[in-house]
Amino acid sequence: MPPAGHFIEIDNARIRYVEEGTGPAVLILHGASSNAEDMRLALGDHLDGFRAVYVDRPGLGWSERPDGR
């Protein structure tokens, strides 16, 4: 069971994202061999005043890989 979050389907793959906070949106993408939860822990309170959208990149974290890739 994945941690709290939402899913959207892109290219036949379920992509997980988490939204936190309010204010102008900031999209947070993790690096290789990481996931959205790692970024949430690393950034902590540094995004106060923003709506942070953390994304598990395709094939990493709780996101699926697109078909055939």
Side-chain angles (χ1 to χ4, degrees):
M1 187 74 158
H6 307 278
F7 287 88
I8 186 171
E9 188 164 319
I10 300 173
D11 289 338
N12 296 318
R14 286 174 29 108
I15 304 299
R16 178 180 170 267
Y17 68 97
V18 177
E19 294 182 82
E20 293 182 336
T22 59
V26 177
L27 180 64
I28 308 295
L29 300 173
H30 61 80
S33 301
S34 186
N35 60 45
E37 299 307 312
D38 292 341
M39 297 306 298
R40 289 174 69 201
L41 290 172
L43 293 173
D45 295 331
H46 295 289
L47 293 174
D48 284 347
F50 291 93
R51 182 176 134 232
V53 181
Y54 300 91
V55 177
D56 277 336
R57 290 175 40 206
L60 299 169
W62 293 94
S63 290
E64 299 174 342
R65 286 182 68 147
D67 292 340
R69 296 183 200 168

